[in-house]
Amino acid sequence: MLQGNYATASTHVRDQVTKMQIPTQIRHVSPVIPGPTTTAGVESSGSGLSWTSDSWRLKPAAQAVEYEDAKALEETCSYLRQLPPLVSPSEIENARAEFYHVALGRGFIIQAGDCAESFHDVRYNIIRRKVDLLRVQSKILEKALGKPTITLGRIAGQYAKPRSNPYETLPTGEVIHAFRGHNVNSEDPTDRRPDPNRLLLGYFYAAASQNTIRHLPGPALGAATKARTTSALYTSHEALHLPYESSLTRDHYNLSATTVWLGERTRQRDGAHVEYARGLRNPIGVKIGPTATPAEVVALLNVLAPDRAQHGKITIITRMGQGKVRVNLPPIIRAVQLSGHVPIWMSDPCHGNTFATKGGVKTRRVADMLLELQETYLAHKSLGSHLGGIHLEQTGEDVSECLDGNDELLEDGLGRCYRSLCDPRLSSDQAIQLVTDFAKYVKEQGA
């Protein structure tokens, strides 16, 4: 629920966007969506389908949002197509160049941020704390690994979320839409109707966040970073809402973020999300859980990066859960090595270690996350592979959403400051401690 004066301000912005004087030629559009500015180039593996920013519409789309008014959605998307980019193609190409070296073991990535960003948190001090946290973590990793460390925020666009069930049942028995992130609907159970106008709000909030990030004071450059020419922080989010993502795509560039990723629920090889992602110049992440098979992962790489010389074009983000890594990850690493693909390997120790307390509160143990990071690092090292990054859900604020230990008594403190819109996030102190402990472990292992 929105609180106080902010509720009034947010409602005002929403109303202004809703009432925008959209040009007539945009407002009255055909339901047929026009193609992108270019249709050149990429063909689907085995299908012969030429890629465009809208070719995904010919594929089944998992996690699609059900809007009551399809025409209203198209009018919104048509307006989004006219808006300025949030990032530049040159920034994306810079990232590709840096990611190439990470894939070869010459660098490392810290990717982190909110599980689901809130429109309410697009405030200067909150954004600054997120960026400051990433910079501290980057310095810790750079010192321990002796490699340049790239900062990649889950920020300025992580406004849509997948859900296991698109609907939920209230205690009254009423069935409503599940909360899908502020780009789709509200966390308020009385306002769950998907509203396409929220996509415009998401764009403008993302633009405000990008603008804030670009104007924050930059970090002092150390010896390991003097040669870098990139911006202080790259941005990323899950490419879940395909009408929104494709509306902000120009000439094979998704200009809403530097890099985007596909989730565990949307990485079907013949699905709409993979079809959309395969034609992008942006670096692409893919979440891989414990049920993924080696053949499945290689097949995904064949579609998303058919040119094996594009080292680092794809980042495989493993999210196995501690205790499952040793069995499930090595066969996947070995299969990818034999395939000739050279992706970036990243560990997400958060999602596979989520559980509910006896009181029904969703949480994670910091100790479990550290164990998964350690197990993943050893799995790669044993096979001559490189762990190229870690992917965390965290915030720069002093929240109480994750447990510091295994003592069940600590669960009593979860209600002190539990503000996440979806999954539990590490607090600033927890996030720094986790990265510090991981960096210390890597250093002890000889990096």
Side-chain angles (χ1 to χ4, degrees):
M1 297 282 289
L2 301 182
Q3 311 242 341
N5 292 335
Y6 189 76
T8 303
S10 181
T11 301
H12 175 73
V13 172
R14 182 184 63 198
D15 290 345
Q16 292 306 307
V17 172
T18 303
K19 296 173 183 177
M20 272 182 179
Q21 294 300 310
I22 300 175
T24 303
Q25 67 269 29
I26 297 176
R27 186 168 62 247
H28 301 293
V29 295
S30 165
V32 177
I33 297 176
T37 54
T38 179
T39 59
V42 188
E43 293 209 350
S44 177
S45 177
S47 73
L49 177 65
S50 293
W51 184 90
T52 73
S53 60
D54 287 312
S55 58
W56 61 267
R57 296 179 184 277
L58 301 176
K59 301 278 189 174
Q63 295 287 322
V65 178
E66 297 181 9
Y67 290 93
E68 295 177 3
D69 189 341
K71 184 178 180 181
L73 173 63
E74 170 50 19
E75 288 177 351
T76 298
C77 290
S78 293
Y79 188 68
L80 284 167
R81 292 188 190 100
Q82 316 304 314
L83 295 175
L86 298 176
V87 300
S88 67
S90 61
E91 184 177 356
I92 292 168
E93 292 297 336
N94 283 341
R96 280 180 64 106
E98 290 206 65
F99 282 29
Y100 176 93
H101 292 288
V102 173
L104 296 176
R106 303 169 185 161
F108 201 80
I109 300 170
I110 171 69
Q111 181 176 10
D114 292 299
C115 166
E117 284 187 278
S118 170
F119 287 172
H120 319 331
D121 287 347
V122 181
R123 308 182 193 184
Y124 177 82
N125 283 332
I126 292 178
I127 295 170
R128 179 182 55 79
R129 286 195 289 266
K130 292 177 183 179
V131 174
D132 287 348
L133 174 57
L134 276 163
R135 287 175 176 168
V136 170
Q137 292 170 310
S138 178
K139 289 179 67 175
I140 292 168
L141 290 165
E142 227 172 50
K143 184 176 180 181
L145 276 61
K147 301 175 181 179
T149 299
I150 299 166
T151 51
L152 177 59
R154 290 173 56 115
I155 193 170
Q158 183 60 5
Y159 300 128
K161 291 295 296 180
R163 299 309 294 260
S164 300
N165 191 327
Y167 297 95
E168 66 178 73
T169 303
L170 299 178
T172 61
E174 180 185 1
V175 178
I176 62 174
H177 286 274
F179 174 57
R180 298 291 302 276
H182 281 168
N183 255 11
V184 178
N185 55 11
S186 171
E187 70 272 31
D188 182 351
T190 66
D191 187 21
R192 290 288 179 81
R193 180 179 61 86
D195 180 0
N197 280 310
R198 283 181 166 270
L199 297 176
L200 288 177
L201 278 172
Y203 169 89
F204 289 115
Y205 278 123
S209 297
Q210 289 275 8
N211 185 61
T212 301
I213 291 166
R214 295 181 193 282
H215 288 86
L216 286 171
L221 295 180
T225 58
K226 283 182 179 177
R228 292 177 58 192
T229 59
T230 63
S231 61
L233 177 73
Y234 290 130
T235 59
S236 68
H237 61 260
E238 181 175 357
L240 180 68
H241 197 295
L242 292 180
Y244 177 83
E245 302 298 338
S246 59
S247 295
L248 296 175
T249 301
R250 314 279 188 275
D251 296 324
H252 296 272
Y253 291 99
N254 180 324
L255 299 177
S256 70
T258 315
T259 176
V260 293
W261 75 84
L262 306 181
E264 177 81 338
R265 297 182 179 96
T266 57
R267 58 172 175 79
Q268 297 84 3
R269 185 182 61 174
D270 295 321
H273 290 80
V274 170
E275 170 60 26
Y276 169 71
R278 73 180 178 86
L280 296 176
R281 289 287 299 174
N282 306 64
I284 302 297
V286 184
K287 292 286 189 82
I288 298 295
T291 62
T293 66
E296 183 180 2
V297 175
V298 172
L300 266 174
L301 289 171
N302 289 341
V303 174
L304 291 170
D307 181 358
R308 285 165 172 75
Q310 294 183 342
H311 301 341
K313 168 68 191 307
I314 306 300
T315 298
I316 298 177
I317 309 168
T318 59
R319 38 157 293 180
M320 303 287 179
Q322 66 91 7
K324 299 179 182 178
V325 172
R326 296 178 186 178
V327 173
N328 296 311
L329 183 55
I332 294 175
I333 295 173
R334 189 60 182 142
V336 171
Q337 289 174 324
L338 292 173
S339 74
H341 289 285
V342 184
I344 294 171
W345 293 93
M346 184 178 283
S347 175
D348 167 3
C350 299
H351 286 85
N353 295 302
T354 308
F355 68 97
T357 67
K358 291 180 180 178
V361 180
K362 191 187 294 186
T363 190
R364 295 159 177 161
R365 291 190 180 93
V366 179
D368 291 342
M369 298 183 214
L370 179 59
L371 279 173
E372 179 162 355
L373 288 176
Q374 293 170 339
E375 292 170 355
T376 304
Y377 176 81
L378 282 181
H380 284 285
K381 186 175 181 180
S382 68
L383 292 171
S385 179
H386 305 282
L387 179 62
I390 56 178
H391 184 121
L392 305 176
E393 289 189 341
Q394 64 183 38
T395 176
E397 299 175 86
D398 182 26
V399 298
S400 56
E401 299 170 4
C402 293
L403 298 173
D404 288 313
N406 296 323
D407 190 344
E408 291 187 2
L409 293 176
L410 293 175
E411 297 179 9
D412 295 338
L414 290 177
R416 177 179 61 82
C417 185
Y418 199 110
R419 296 183 55 247
S420 176
L421 290 176
C422 192
D423 290 340
R425 303 163 297 171
L426 294 160
S427 69
S428 178
D429 288 345
Q430 289 172 332
I432 291 173
Q433 191 60 54
L434 176 60
V435 168
T436 299
D437 290 344
F438 171 70
K440 180 180 177 181
Y441 177 81
V442 171
K443 197 168 185 178
E444 290 172 349
Q445 295 296 319

